[in-house]
Amino acid sequence: MIIAHLLDMDGVLVRGSQPIEGSVDYVAGLVAEGRPFQIFTNNSRFTPEDHAERLKAVGFPVSPEHVYTSALATARFVNLQRPGASAYVIGDHGLVDPLRRAGCRITEFSPDFVILGDTTSYHYEQIATGAELVARGAWFLATNPDVTGPTERGFHPACGAAAALIEKATGRQPYFVGKPNPFMMRSALERLGVSAADTVMVGDRMDTDVIAGLESGMKTALVLTGVSTRADMERFPFRPDHVIERLADLGQIL
């Protein structure tokens, strides 16, 4: 029996700053019924507080505790791997803030890690500095492998695309902490206190959301309001448990 939801945000709940039809009511129903859920996003630009305020502004009855980001997972990963580490960070405050809270020192002088996240203003100088530090031996982490992200205008280059610049320049591949890495999935499930078998992963991308849920033992639902289309599904050797036009249609299935 499905009792918990991991809900991707961009492309499932919202597109840009606008809610997708029916998504507000679906989340309100989860809150009213006391069903455990996490709004589960690879978007590392914003803190959970920022994401919650953004969602509340367009009608979603959520709090920061309902939001789990790839930046939170990255901060947890760094703290487990090397407590008190130092890092050169390319990204917005949504990544910097949880790293600092986890005890990570932000510096460009001989850092342990180069950590890349999402931002709308990647600067060439930062990318070049990150590449130089990785070439010198810093461990290369990235919050997520998404190469594009949905906006009201279409798609824009995201963390995975920027990571490719450093990888090509250095020959060093990043370790992606966010979806589809099972580390992020397990971290969210532990936060909810539920098992994978009792959880459905709902997302708009075959290459991150669906495969992440599948490899973590969850039921999966692909919504067609974001990146992946029915035609795109044919490129992958796996299938979601459910394919729905929008999040609101999931209630009829579950």
Side-chain angles (χ1 to χ4, degrees):
M1 178 180 178
I2 299 299
I3 62 172
H5 289 62
L6 295 186
L7 300 171
D8 184 43
M9 183 171 62
D10 296 303
V12 175
L13 301 183
V14 295
R15 187 181 295 108
S17 62
Q18 297 303 310
I20 293 169
E21 183 182 0
S23 59
V24 170
D25 290 339
Y26 192 90
V27 171
L30 295 178
V31 173
E33 295 169 13
R35 302 279 291 276
F37 72 94
Q38 290 280 274
I39 297 168
F40 195 67
T41 178
N42 266 354
N43 186 331
S44 64
R45 286 186 58 208
F46 304 108
T47 64
E49 290 79 9
D50 293 332
H51 281 301
E53 286 300 318
R54 170 192 173 195
L55 291 169
K56 284 196 291 186
V58 292
F60 291 94
V62 298
S63 65
E65 291 72 29
H66 289 127
V67 182
Y68 194 72
T69 72
S70 62
L72 292 181
T74 300
R76 184 178 184 224
F77 179 84
V78 168
N79 191 48
L80 288 172
Q81 291 293 309
R82 183 168 287 190
S86 60
Y88 178 71
V89 180
I90 304 170
D92 286 343
H93 72 286
L95 176 58
V96 173
D97 184 66
L99 285 169
R100 282 184 168 148
R101 290 187 187 185
C104 185
R105 181 171 58 89
I106 310 301
T107 181
E108 63 180 273
F109 298 102
S110 301
D112 300 311
F113 295 92
V114 168
I115 304 178
L116 175 70
D118 288 300
T119 177
T120 57
S121 56
Y122 290 111
H123 294 292
Y124 178 79
E125 183 177 346
Q126 291 179 314
I127 297 292
T129 298
E132 181 180 353
L133 293 170
V134 168
R136 289 179 182 176
W139 295 345
F140 186 19
L141 296 181
T143 57
N144 68 85
D146 297 354
V147 294
T148 62
T151 69
E152 293 161 309
R153 296 181 297 176
F155 299 107
H156 67 84
C159 181
L165 294 174
I166 296 177
E167 179 182 347
K168 290 295 184 182
T170 64
R172 298 272 301 279
Q173 293 183 341
Y175 181 73
F176 293 108
V177 181
K179 296 178 292 182
N181 192 331
F183 178 84
M184 184 172 175
M185 314 302 288
R186 289 195 301 270
S187 297
L189 292 175
E190 290 172 11
R191 196 179 194 199
L192 285 177
V194 298
S195 69
D198 296 327
T199 306
V200 60
M201 175 71 221
V202 187
D204 69 309
R205 302 181 72 118
M206 289 289 292
D207 57 346
T208 53
D209 302 316
V210 172
I211 195 171
L214 178 110
E215 292 183 345
S216 299
M218 304 177 198
K219 293 294 184 183
T220 57
L222 176 71
V223 298
L224 301 176
T225 48
V227 174
S228 294
T229 65
R230 289 187 187 275
D232 291 334
M233 290 173 56
E234 300 306 315
R235 298 189 292 109
F236 297 91
F238 54 86
R239 289 291 180 270
D241 293 290
H242 309 289
V243 181
I244 51 180
E245 293 297 326
R246 56 181 186 152
L247 175 64
D249 297 331
L250 188 59
Q252 300 172 14
I253 298 171
L254 300 183

